[in-house]
Amino acid sequence: MTDSDVLGPLLDELGPGLYRENAFRVTGLAVNASARDIRWHAERLRVTSRFETGRVETGTAAETTLFGPAPDAAESREAAQRLRDPTRRLLDEFFWFWPLQEGRPDGAVTALRRGDVAEAERVWKDAGTPVARHNLAVLAHARALDASGDAPWREVFEAWRHVVDDHAFWSLLEDRARALADPRLGPGTAGRLREDLPEALLGINARLAVTALRDGRRAEAEAHIGHMDRSGFDRLDVAEALRRAVEPDTARLRSAGEHAERTIEADPSRGAEAAERFLDGAAPLLDVLAIALPGDHPVLRGAGDDVAVRALRCLVVYANQTDDWGPAVRLIERAVPLASTRAVRERLEQNLATARTNLAYSTCWFCKDRPADGESAFEQKLYGNVQHSMGRVTWQVLTVRVPRCDPCGSSHRTRRLKAVGAAAGTTAAGALIGIGLIGLQMVLLGWLVLVGALIAAGVTLTRGTTPLSSRETGDLGEFTPIRDRLKSGVWFLGAQPPGVN
């Protein structure tokens, strides 16, 4: 096994607790501690634990209280065990403070062990060596992660860029890897760490940003993303760090979508419920992705398309099974804006148009509420393609069935019966009055009343043949199959052209 197999996963695990959990901070041991020093420390912990509980004193190393509380016995034992793994030890060594010169008194390390961080920082700045620059980068980074408010992230990334560019330091790290004498840390270990370091550092900020987004702290998240953008590291490293940070969210989206699809496989009648629950749960996760990733990032685009398509599948199965197109229309309308690619968006829009048409035919057009009853459909005549030839007029007649429920049909039939009854009553009353006037030798007036009654009855009957109110008649023109034909300019309402017998 080579370093590429070992260090990569360890770098991926780096998080905000990088320095607080560092084995050298927890144990108080120096980075150049020998195997014997580590064994002695572990034995001391074992003996101490027999007599004490809770926090343990690890010696005179005040750095155990830097960047976090003093460790307890369990944490200290775990840290000592971690130092026995050369690969993990190398990473903890890298993210802690090195002595400026091996085998000589070190003022910075001495100051650090008594808790005087300012003095250690001064010594490193004065020294200006590769190790000193590395220690300053570690210190700036640890302080930034330990800060409760704004931190000078620009300076942090600048310090680490100096380390990345310092060939002398990486030669020292390669020597250190070789000294650990572990076959997993072969030649090129330092080079691999150097190559992966920018993405690993950016990944910590990416995790902080995504965590803040999940907790609703958008401003804090956007600040971390801004620091990453201005870090001076490669844009590809920034994008990859963010992609890794949102992997749990994309995995949750996939899992939720698969659960919704399993739901409709078991019971298609729950498709609308499953799709709505899926869309509700996906919304905050998509918001996290939208803020964390650039708008054209393939992960973001793929997630939006995936959510839209999975919701559509649930709704198509549901509507085809239940013929309940109302929820399908409402939820497909929610899914359309989530689609990122044109192909997926067009697919949803086509299905939405079909669902809207099916909804129009399955719901009463007049009350806009009750399901349509096929036997109660209202038949509207349209005439079109009118031709005039040699004094003759010809035309085509088309019948459009407008969906109607039984209660609305009954209401329309009642209106028609009332119109017929009014016409009959008007005719009868007019006839009686007209005949009476004629009998009284008022012949002209009698005939006028009689003719007027007949005309009034005819008008009433004519109006009564359309049992719709004036509002309902106007609404007919908005029924999609009628509206589309009227817009063509070829078809018109009615059974025949006006003025034609």
Side-chain angles (χ1 to χ4, degrees):
M1 181 178 290
T2 66
D3 59 285
S4 61
D5 299 316
V6 177
L7 290 183
L10 295 180
L11 286 170
D12 292 342
E13 295 174 2
L14 298 185
L18 169 64
Y19 299 100
R20 185 174 60 253
E21 299 164 3
N22 187 283
F24 293 102
R25 184 198 83 88
V26 174
T27 61
L29 293 170
V31 295
N32 55 1
S34 65
R36 180 180 179 182
D37 294 332
I38 296 173
R39 287 195 301 271
W40 179 86
H41 178 80
E43 179 62 21
R44 183 169 178 271
L45 283 175
R46 186 182 65 81
V47 173
T48 303
S49 64
R50 294 180 179 180
F51 306 101
E52 299 178 5
T53 59
R55 303 289 168 185
V56 297
E57 294 296 333
T58 57
T60 61
E63 66 262 37
T64 58
T65 59
L66 293 176
F67 320 123
D72 60 25
E75 290 170 333
S76 197
R77 284 193 297 270
E78 181 183 348
Q81 183 64 31
R82 192 161 66 245
L83 289 179
R84 294 178 178 178
D85 180 347
T87 59
R88 292 183 176 274
R89 170 171 179 161
L90 182 65
L91 209 58
D92 279 5
E93 283 185 18
F94 179 78
F95 287 106
W96 201 241
F97 306 105
W98 291 23
L100 289 175
Q101 289 184 315
E102 290 285 348
R104 293 188 179 182
D106 191 310
V109 170
T110 302
L112 194 66
R113 291 180 70 80
R114 68 172 182 265
D116 191 348
V117 178
E119 174 61 14
E121 183 178 20
R122 184 195 65 76
V123 172
W124 290 327
K125 286 181 177 180
D126 290 343
T129 64
V131 168
R133 286 190 290 271
H134 162 267
N135 290 351
L136 288 171
V138 169
L139 180 61
H141 199 196
R143 280 175 165 172
L145 290 174
D146 195 45
S148 57
D150 293 335
W153 285 102
R154 183 188 297 268
E155 291 79 1
V156 172
F157 288 122
E158 182 179 5
W160 276 121
R161 289 202 311 274
H162 288 316
V163 174
V164 171
D165 294 337
D166 193 335
H167 298 288
F169 173 78
W170 295 103
S171 294
L172 293 173
L173 185 66
E174 188 70 26
D175 292 341
R176 180 59 194 148
R178 191 180 304 112
L180 289 172
D182 189 288
R184 295 171 296 173
L185 302 176
T189 293
R192 175 56 187 258
L193 182 56
R194 182 182 192 180
E195 179 182 346
D196 292 345
L197 181 61
E199 185 184 319
L201 295 172
L202 292 165
I204 297 174
N205 291 77
R207 289 183 178 87
L208 289 169
V210 172
T211 299
L213 284 174
R214 293 175 187 143
D215 294 342
R217 294 176 279 119
R218 177 168 179 163
E220 181 180 337
E222 290 177 338
H224 275 293
I225 295 172
H227 297 319
M228 295 172 67
D229 289 336
R230 296 184 295 273
S231 66
F233 290 128
D234 193 289
R235 293 290 304 167
L236 293 177
D237 288 330
V238 173
E240 181 62 13
L242 287 169
R243 184 196 67 77
R244 288 177 178 273
V246 298
E247 273 184 345
D249 299 279
T250 55
R252 287 171 61 192
L253 282 174
R254 287 193 299 271
S255 178
E258 291 166 358
H259 176 74
E261 291 182 333
R262 287 195 299 270
T263 298
I264 63 167
E265 288 174 3
D267 185 358
S269 66
R270 295 180 59 197
E273 172 192 343
E276 186 159 29
R277 187 185 304 113
F278 175 45
L279 289 172
D280 288 344
L285 296 177
L286 287 174
D287 286 344
V288 169
L289 298 184
I291 297 171
L293 301 174
D296 59 348
H297 197 286
V299 170
L300 175 59
R301 292 168 64 83
D305 280 351
D306 188 60
V307 170
V309 168
R310 289 182 189 272
L312 177 64
R313 288 174 188 161
C314 294
L315 295 168
V316 169
V317 171
Y318 167 79
N320 287 333
Q321 176 77 18
T322 64
D323 205 32
D324 183 10
W325 293 95
V329 169
R330 176 174 60 82
L331 294 172
I332 294 176
E333 286 175 343
R334 282 185 60 184
V336 168
L338 303 180
S340 299
T341 60
R342 187 169 74 173
V344 172
R345 191 179 305 110
E346 289 178 350
R347 177 181 172 186
L348 264 76
E349 289 172 345
Q350 290 169 0
N351 279 272
L352 179 58
T354 300
R356 283 172 173 165
T357 299
N358 291 339
L359 176 61
Y361 277 103
S362 64
T363 304
C364 176
W365 178 255
F366 300 95
C367 68
K368 305 291 192 298
D369 181 34
R370 291 179 288 267
D373 177 5
E375 296 181 356
S376 299
F378 178 81
E379 296 186 347
Q380 175 61 46
K381 301 289 185 181
L382 299 179
Y383 71 89
N385 296 323
V386 180
Q387 302 291 329
H388 297 268
S389 176
M390 300 179 64
R392 293 185 59 199
V393 180
T394 60
W395 65 91
Q396 293 178 323
V397 178
L398 175 68
T399 301
V400 177
R401 290 174 59 83
V402 181
R404 182 172 62 176
C405 63
D406 183 65
C408 285
S410 297
S411 174
H412 294 162
R413 288 190 292 272
T414 300
R415 185 181 291 118
R416 173 174 284 175
L417 289 174
K418 287 181 179 180
V420 172
T426 300
T427 302
L432 289 174
I433 294 173
I435 293 171
L437 291 173
I438 293 173
L440 294 173
Q441 303 301 314
M442 303 172 66
V443 178
L444 180 60
L445 181 59
W447 279 107
L448 288 174
V449 171
L450 189 59
V451 170
L454 292 173
I455 293 173
V459 171
T460 303
L461 284 172
T462 300
R463 292 180 177 176
T465 57
T466 300
L468 308 179
S469 66
S470 57
R471 180 188 61 80
E472 291 173 330
T473 301
D475 285 347
L476 276 180
E478 295 302 317
F479 185 60
T480 302
I482 295 177
R483 182 189 63 198
D484 292 345
R485 288 178 170 84
L486 295 180
K487 283 184 176 181
S488 71
V490 177
W491 294 93
F492 306 89
L493 288 175
Q496 62 185 37
V500 177
N501 295 323

